[in-house]
Amino acid sequence: MGTRLAPVSETTKPGSTLPAPRTAKGQRNRLLVIDGHSMAFRAFYALPPENFSTDTGQHTNAVYGFTAMLINLIKDQKPTHVAVAFDLDTPTFRSEEYTEYKAGRSRTPEEFHGQVDLIIKVMEAMRIPTISLDGYEADDILATLATKAAAEDWDVQVVSGDRDAFQLVNDRVTVLYPKQGVTNIPQMDAQAIEEKYFVPPHQYSDLAALVGESADNLPGVPGVGPKTAAKWIKLYGGLEGILENLDSIGGKVGDALRAHADDVRRNRRLNRLLTDLDLPVDLDAMVSQHPDRSAVEDLFDSLQFNTLRKRLFDLFGEEEAEETGDEMTPPPHVVLTEAAPLTAWLKSTNQAPAAVHLATEATAGGTDVTGIAIVTSTAAAFVPFEGLDAEAEQVLAHWLADLDAPKVVHDFKEAYKLLAPRGLHLAGEVDDTAISGYLIQPDRRSYDLADLSQYHLRLSLGAAPGNASGQLALELGEKDVAGPAVMRAFAALQLSEHFAGQLVEKGANRLLGELELPLSEVLAEMELTGVAVSVERLDRLLDDFSKTISTAGAEAFRIIGKEINLGSPKQLQTVLFEELGLPKTKKIKTGYSTDADALTDLIVKTGHPFLEQLLAYRDATKLRQTVEGLRKSVAEDGRIHTTYAQTVAATGRLSSINPNLQNIPVRSDEGRRIREVFVVGKGTDGTRYETLMTADYSQIEMRIMAHLSGDEGLISAFREGEDLHRFVGSHIFGVAPEEVTSAMRSKVKAMSYGLVYGLSSFGLSKQLAISVDEARTLMRDYFERFGAVRDYLRGIVEQARKDGYTSTIEGRRRYLPDLSSDNRQLREMSERAALNAPIQGSAADIIKKAMLGVDGALKAKGLSSRMLLQVHDELVLEIAEGEKDVVEALVREQMAGAADLSVPLDVSVGTGLSWHEAAH
DNA sequence: ATCCTCACGTA
DNA sequence: CGTACGTGAGGATG
């Protein structure tokens, strides 16, 4: 949405209604006005477009440079008022008088397109007015504003790359004229102009009329430069005097002047900036405001301006924190260390929802809990752990574990894990604001409490406790532990109330209460448990892979006759494409790709021996890297404790970090050896574990596709337990199932899975190394046989475009606003996401439900076996002695029963002493 | 120190 | 010109 304003016919308000020229602080107002197009162009040429583009191919170098410049200017100049003026593409009075005006400029480069609109959007998000006026140039707007503001005794800074602005300079007005790029913008005051052009600012336009301005395609008098022009101006008191005394100027330049006198008069008419336009915006509307946080978040997200976002928020952050409204403060808190008052306080909450936030402190070993803040809508308390008497701890422990004491926590799983080692069990969770925030907006970058509070509540929490400023306070012995923790608990409570309505509106309440919240405790337990590894095996693998690396590396160096860093794509590009002169591969941002696909291609084409060694080297380094990471992650207890991120994947999947146990190699033999290091653990409190068990869904995504599309063919294939790809292949190729060759089967398999991702015939052709024609025929035949699949896929996108979101079988939504973007790449990306989200997301729903079921069944039966890992469609369990059969039965039952689809959910189960052995 | 790009592992 | 992730190295930037 643009803010370009239509020309106005009414006169603007008289100057008397302008705001007082002085701010409350008694300082003079400072207006910063910017020539938008001119600075956008400067920024464009200062930064290489190829380094600034979004994933969708929109170039952003001008937007970036402009925004960075603006942030710097605001920081340095501290204006009280800001505005940006833009030219329109319509004719101006200048081009109407002189058709050649600004002609001869080279066409705007392709990469510049769209960037001015984006700059306007940025201005909107920053709450800076943008002004343009039909028939006039931005410079005229600047001149009018500068004149008005100066008349009110304001200071004015005009930012423009156009020298015509120099005529505006006076005691109050300076011009910031970029020398080079957009970082070096010297101030041009009267003195600077006089030094450079030998005339005072008010006569600069006289001089420019004589000399000419090539940027505007205004030719001057041949042979006359600034020095001559200045001499004449001085002599005759200005251009008027010169033109009156044309005849008395001698020499060749005198003749030239007489010959071009009309040009000079025209130049002077055109370069005079108008200072009396009727502008539709008052000066007081330009008062500097804080950016619209959420708009900036969203916009900078799509522009991928991560650094700038930080710089912008840093700039406004401090002030904003000061301005946090009084209504957004927690109730005053009491500090409770004794049992009686604690009991009384907890009782007085009357079982109203209480937000719980842990005060923590970073220690060498990790994070220590120092106390707990408990905040209800009417009261707040802080319970420090130090000095807490045993009885009080009992009271606290009881309350924390009380299912009837409803609690709001931000990141419940983390709190649960922090309390567990102290023997404290956290229960009664009614909301986790990280998760509810995620369900409402599943594609946010961060669900940090401070970010969410800022975004949803406009509440600034300030820096997280435990940073540098906290440290300083600690040294001074006055660290306030309770205050920040209470504040954060309060923020979580506010957020929870804020989210309640939205959750209902978005149909996410059940998903939260019945799936995600209970799951967070299950995940917490899995993370605490961890998975046992054999350090000996890890070390052996490290050795083996290192040997392969040295051999392959040495051989690679021998072949090319020198040593380079094989891990540097840049150096590889030089060797491959320049020195060895191999054929070019697919283009990437920084040149030509050296990825495995490209290298394999090159092997086929050239058979160069270096490539093979390089691939072997790459393989081995990747594997070693994985092993090294695992090695570093082994905890004291000999187990690896991953962390599951429950609010990261926009589709509803979990992700695994520190380390990622969801991407342990499985496809190659060498890679699979890594799965041998994950072993059954020893067990502790009397329980002995005998084996690992893996249980996975077979072809869950295709089954969901069959269910959602209702395709009779697919459904009956699954119901009859046929080999899906063979079945589909026989239909597409028109042969009996047993006549489907492995080549046919793999084509069909690729296509089936491709469909789930929104694969195009082009993509299919590339993946199968067949012609686009053949791929197209293949797809056509597929859809002919399985028409409901095509209808379903089409319907998904249509529905999502209409609703703005897709839904999974459990009602989990993914919002896809870009489905109606006019940027094709953006739109098509969203279309593919729309195809995939219901399927991937439904699979995520199903396995999450299954995990709750398995966990519940294990507990109900009093078994000691436990879940360790989840890898999207697979669960890994550690089986206690004698429990194998009963666990296998319950796992099958719970996993298969996690959803009621029109096709069965097949589960395959295996056991073994290592993850590798347990695979099947 | 911090950010981005490339490459590559999984489902 | 196939979705969803996380990690680490190199290299450019501050």
Side-chain angles (χ1 to χ4, degrees):
Chain A
M1 193 170 50
T3 29
R4 296 186 180 205
L5 299 158
V8 286
S9 49
E10 312 160 40
T11 47
T12 46
K13 294 176 190 171
S16 57
T17 64
L18 289 174
R22 314 220 167 228
T23 64
K25 288 174 188 162
Q27 284 156 351
R28 204 194 300 276
N29 278 336
R30 293 167 70 81
L31 172 67
L32 180 74
V33 284
I34 300 171
D35 181 340
H37 273 113
S38 128
M39 295 311 292
F41 259 111
R42 291 284 180 150
F44 179 79
Y45 286 111
L47 302 169
E50 61 272 20
N51 290 356
F52 294 85
S53 56
T54 65
D55 292 339
T56 65
Q58 168 68 54
H59 289 282
T60 54
N61 58 324
V63 190
Y64 185 96
F66 188 95
T67 311
M69 170 206 73
L70 184 58
I71 291 171
N72 285 339
L73 285 173
I74 292 174
K75 186 147 99 198
D76 297 343
Q77 309 295 343
K78 305 203 176 355
T80 60
H81 294 70
V82 185
V84 183
F86 285 97
D87 300 325
L88 292 176
D89 283 335
T90 49
T92 65
F93 73 92
R94 294 192 179 84
S95 62
E96 275 172 12
E97 161 158 4
Y98 177 52
T99 49
E100 299 296 296
Y101 184 70
K102 290 195 174 171
R105 290 192 172 185
S106 45
R107 217 168 48 84
T108 49
E110 184 62 35
E111 292 91 340
F112 189 70
H113 286 161
Q115 296 207 49
V116 167
D117 288 336
L118 287 173
I119 289 173
I120 290 173
K121 281 190 181 164
V122 171
M123 294 308 102
E124 225 171 90
M126 288 179 70
R127 298 205 171 98
I128 292 175
T130 55
I131 313 168
S132 47
L133 202 54
D134 205 9
Y136 300 94
E137 289 181 76
D139 270 340
D140 298 311
I141 297 170
L142 302 185
T144 300
L145 290 174
T147 309
K148 269 191 184 176
E152 296 293 320
D153 204 25
W154 294 18
D155 284 331
V156 182
Q157 284 167 314
V158 177
V159 185
S160 175
D162 191 333
R163 276 186 289 263
D164 284 336
F166 291 157
Q167 63 188 279
L168 302 171
V169 171
N170 58 37
D171 287 355
R172 287 270 154 268
V173 182
T174 56
V175 168
L176 300 177
Y177 181 76
K179 209 170 193 169
Q180 59 178 77
V182 284
T183 42
N184 181 5
I185 312 184
Q187 298 227 23
M188 298 294 282
D189 56 11
Q191 194 189 341
I193 287 171
E194 217 161 335
E195 268 170 28
K196 190 145 191 225
Y197 299 103
F198 318 107
V199 292
H202 73 271
Q203 287 180 323
Y204 173 79
S205 305
D206 290 352
L207 177 130
L210 290 163
V211 174
E213 176 57 270
S214 57
D216 295 337
N217 197 31
L218 295 176
V221 181
V224 172
K227 281 203 174 146
T228 312
K231 190 180 74 188
W232 289 341
I233 288 169
K234 209 159 279 170
L235 197 58
Y236 298 103
L239 187 60
E240 218 169 303
I242 297 171
L243 293 171
E244 280 166 12
N245 295 287
L246 272 182
D247 294 339
S248 52
I249 298 174
K252 273 224 154 88
V253 283
D255 296 339
L257 173 61
R258 281 181 287 281
H260 291 87
D262 284 343
D263 285 355
V264 171
R265 287 191 191 92
R266 178 206 60 212
N267 289 353
R268 188 65 187 92
R269 277 196 304 278
L270 294 183
N271 74 15
R272 168 168 293 118
L273 298 180
L274 302 184
T275 59
D276 55 356
L277 300 184
D278 280 344
L279 295 183
V281 187
D282 280 344
L283 284 177
D284 53 3
M286 296 167 196
V287 69
S288 177
Q289 297 181 63
H290 288 151
D292 177 345
R293 283 247 170 190
S294 38
V296 170
E297 294 272 1
D298 293 347
L299 183 58
F300 281 26
D301 254 6
S302 67
L303 294 173
Q304 297 164 353
F305 284 178
N306 295 319
T307 331
L308 277 188
R309 170 183 14 239
K310 200 170 164 301
R311 270 160 68 187
L312 179 63
F313 287 159
D314 281 351
L315 177 60
F316 285 97
E318 290 165 25
E319 304 161 45
E320 200 160 311
E322 288 167 15
E323 290 178 12
T324 303
D326 331 12
E327 74 279 11
M328 278 305 225
T329 51
H333 67 266
V334 290
V335 176
L336 302 168
T337 54
E338 288 168 18
L342 179 58
T343 308
W345 191 91
L346 290 173
K347 192 159 185 269
S348 77
T349 63
N350 225 356
Q351 295 185 344
V356 172
H357 183 87
L358 305 188
T360 57
E361 153 184 283
T363 60
T367 311
D368 244 17
V369 185
T370 56
I372 298 186
I374 306 171
V375 175
T376 69
S377 57
T378 53
F382 184 77
V383 185
F385 278 11
E386 200 175 334
L388 196 63
D389 68 48
E391 206 187 330
E393 189 161 341
Q394 277 289 311
V395 172
L396 181 66
H398 177 268
W399 182 79
L400 287 173
D402 186 358
L403 283 169
D404 292 323
K407 298 171 193 80
V408 170
V409 190
H410 186 86
D411 198 348
F412 172 87
K413 178 155 69 70
E414 188 61 27
Y416 184 100
K417 284 168 59 183
L418 285 169
L419 292 172
R422 312 182 74 107
L424 296 171
H425 180 76
L426 188 57
E429 179 193 22
V430 294
D431 193 8
D432 178 333
T433 44
I435 296 178
S436 36
Y438 165 70
L439 292 176
I440 285 168
Q441 239 185 325
D443 48 9
R444 271 186 82 87
R445 186 172 46 345
S446 143
Y447 298 91
D448 194 77
L449 181 59
D451 290 350
L452 288 183
S453 303
Q454 186 58 251
Y455 185 90
H456 290 285
L457 308 173
R458 313 248 166 258
L459 173 64
S460 298
L461 292 183
N467 64 2
S469 61
Q471 207 118 71
L472 184 66
L474 181 66
E475 282 162 25
L476 297 170
E478 54 191 33
K479 187 160 99 164
D480 176 19
V481 180
V486 166
M487 187 65 204
R488 294 175 104 74
F490 172 73
L493 192 65
Q494 296 295 313
L495 272 178
S496 181
E497 286 172 13
H498 179 82
F499 287 158
Q502 291 187 49
L503 285 169
V504 175
E505 219 171 90
K506 294 173 190 273
N509 233 348
R510 221 175 60 92
L511 205 50
L512 177 74
E514 293 176 27
L515 193 65
E516 301 293 354
L517 294 187
L519 183 68
S520 67
E521 181 176 340
V522 173
L523 293 175
E525 290 291 351
M526 288 167 66
E527 295 173 15
L528 286 169
T529 304
V531 57
V533 292
S534 159
V535 174
E536 294 76 37
R537 290 184 187 178
L538 273 174
D539 288 341
R540 199 175 325 133
L541 281 180
L542 219 46
D543 267 7
D544 289 356
F545 292 144
S546 297
K547 282 188 193 118
T548 312
I549 293 170
S550 329
T551 326
E555 188 56 19
F557 295 151
R558 193 190 59 74
I559 293 169
I560 58 171
K562 62 174 188 170
E563 300 203 357
I564 62 163
N565 184 344
L566 293 173
S568 162
K570 203 180 162 201
Q571 295 180 34
L572 283 174
Q573 283 174 18
T574 314
V575 170
L576 293 179
F577 307 118
E578 290 171 29
E579 293 166 15
L580 298 180
L582 299 180
K584 303 280 196 282
T585 57
K586 73 168 182 256
K587 254 193 168 309
I588 53 171
K589 268 189 187 173
T590 54
Y592 298 96
S593 173
T594 68
D595 68 17
D597 265 1
L599 296 181
T600 313
D601 236 33
L602 283 182
I603 290 183
V604 175
K605 283 196 185 124
T606 71
H608 199 288
F610 173 71
L611 300 168
E612 201 179 317
Q613 297 304 325
L614 176 57
L615 279 175
Y617 174 90
R618 279 247 183 95
D619 260 3
T621 42
K622 179 73 183 176
L623 291 170
R624 184 177 65 178
Q625 181 192 295
T626 303
V627 174
E628 269 175 345
L630 292 175
R631 180 71 243 250
K632 280 185 218 145
S633 305
V634 182
E636 302 264 308
D637 59 1
R639 302 173 75 96
I640 293 178
H641 304 261
T642 185
T643 300
Y644 289 101
Q646 207 178 342
T647 60
V648 166
T651 51
R653 273 190 176 180
L654 299 176
S655 76
S656 158
I657 53 172
N658 301 323
N660 181 357
L661 295 186
Q662 290 178 326
N663 73 340
I664 303 303
V666 70
R667 288 172 194 171
S668 71
D669 288 340
E670 286 295 277
R672 266 195 296 277
R673 291 180 62 196
I674 300 181
R675 294 200 169 211
E676 290 171 359
V677 312
F678 294 87
V679 294
V680 61
K682 296 235 181 339
T684 43
D685 47 9
T687 309
R688 292 171 41 118
Y689 292 92
E690 63 174 350
T691 186
L692 291 182
M693 175 182 288
T694 69
D696 58 62
Y697 285 115
S698 69
Q699 296 164 329
I700 187 167
E701 294 193 334
M702 281 310 291
R703 285 168 199 266
I704 290 168
M705 171 83 97
H707 171 78
L708 292 176
S709 68
D711 187 280
E712 290 302 330
L714 279 186
I715 291 174
S716 64
F718 279 125
R719 282 194 182 152
E720 282 151 39
E722 293 187 54
D723 175 334
L724 174 79
H725 304 309
R726 184 167 295 279
F727 171 86
V728 173
S730 83
H731 280 269
I732 292 178
F733 294 109
V735 297
E738 58 275 12
E739 286 167 32
V740 174
T741 63
S742 66
M744 288 156 86
R745 188 177 181 282
S746 64
K747 278 182 190 178
V748 166
K749 187 176 172 185
M751 188 157 44
S752 286
Y753 278 100
L755 290 179
V756 176
Y757 304 140
L759 186 70
S760 65
S761 50
F762 179 89
L764 185 66
S765 74
K766 252 188 69 172
Q767 200 198 312
L768 295 177
I770 57 178
S771 72
V772 179
D773 261 1
E774 193 183 338
R776 204 171 286 140
T777 310
L778 217 50
M779 287 183 80
R780 201 193 54 218
D781 291 349
Y782 194 110
F783 284 139
E784 226 158 71
R785 288 288 169 182
F786 304 98
V789 171
R790 179 198 48 213
D791 297 344
Y792 164 72
L793 293 174
R794 252 186 224 153
I796 282 283
V797 176
E798 249 171 65
Q799 188 71 31
R801 218 187 301 278
K802 193 154 68 74
D803 298 340
Y805 59 85
T806 60
S807 293
T808 66
I809 54 177
E810 290 294 328
R812 183 191 303 275
R813 293 184 188 174
R814 177 165 185 188
Y815 293 87
L816 295 161
D818 286 337
L819 282 175
S820 30
S821 167
D822 43 20
N823 177 329
R824 198 179 78 148
Q825 203 188 344
L826 219 52
R827 188 177 60 247
E828 290 180 345
M829 266 174 56
S830 293
E831 286 169 359
R832 292 191 295 269
L835 293 176
N836 180 249
I839 296 172
Q840 190 183 113
S842 295
D845 291 348
I846 291 172
I847 196 163
K848 282 177 167 178
K849 274 184 80 176
M851 291 170 77
L852 292 182
V854 169
D855 180 73
L858 287 171
K859 288 200 175 108
K861 291 186 199 293
L863 299 170
S864 303
S865 299
R866 49 198 186 175
M867 260 189 294
L868 303 182
L869 303 175
Q870 189 252 44
V871 192
H872 308 307
D873 66 358
E874 170 186 12
L875 297 177
V876 180
L877 297 96
E878 201 164 37
I879 306 299
E881 270 185 342
E883 295 183 358
K884 194 177 126 180
D885 294 341
V886 57
V887 173
E888 174 169 348
L890 77 83
V891 164
R892 284 184 182 280
E893 183 189 340
Q894 294 300 329
M895 287 181 72
D900 187 19
L901 306 184
S902 44
V903 294
L905 277 173
D906 271 13
V907 177
S908 47
V909 176
T911 53
L913 293 180
S914 71
W915 193 359
H916 172 69
E917 274 184 38
H920 33 266

